[in-house]
Amino acid sequence: MFIHLGGNRMIRIGEVIAIIDAQSSNAADPYFSFLDIANKKGRFEQISSDEIKAYVITDQKIYGSPISSLTLLKRAEQSQYDRK
């Protein structure tokens, strides 16, 4: 199954390691340095020019999504139910 992250980007639900609310991360947060490193290594993709509301972490990339973390979680859960 796939999860739509916004724009034209969809990824396999099995690739998702974590979904992090963008408002909960700030410069003092350990996530901030993690995102900075991923960006420097070319492993960060901002899905659209809209404000980033959530970060979706996979083992290959981090996606900055304009869709809220709660909505992404609901989509992920729904795709799990659709498989049954």
Side-chain angles (χ1 to χ4, degrees):
M1 298 307 301
F2 292 86
I3 182 172
H4 179 249
L5 302 180
N8 293 324
R9 176 57 70 186
M10 292 181 73
I11 62 171
R12 292 181 190 275
I13 191 69
E15 293 179 35
V16 176
I17 295 171
I19 299 172
I20 300 171
D21 183 51
Q23 291 181 356
S24 69
S25 60
N26 61 43
D29 202 332
Y31 294 121
F32 184 80
S33 61
F34 183 71
L35 294 169
D36 190 42
I37 291 167
N39 193 33
K40 288 177 183 174
K41 290 185 175 186
R43 293 187 171 202
F44 175 77
E45 180 182 330
Q46 184 169 345
I47 294 173
S48 75
S49 59
D50 294 336
E51 174 189 2
I52 295 174
K53 294 183 180 175
Y55 295 102
V56 180
I57 299 173
T58 70
D59 63 344
Q60 296 295 315
K61 209 171 222 185
I62 298 175
Y63 299 93
S65 175
I67 299 172
S68 76
S69 57
L70 182 58
T71 300
L72 290 170
L73 178 61
K74 287 179 183 178
R75 289 180 182 183
E77 289 172 342
Q78 183 61 44
S79 71
Q80 297 292 22
Y81 291 124
D82 290 345
R83 287 178 42 187
K84 294 180 180 179

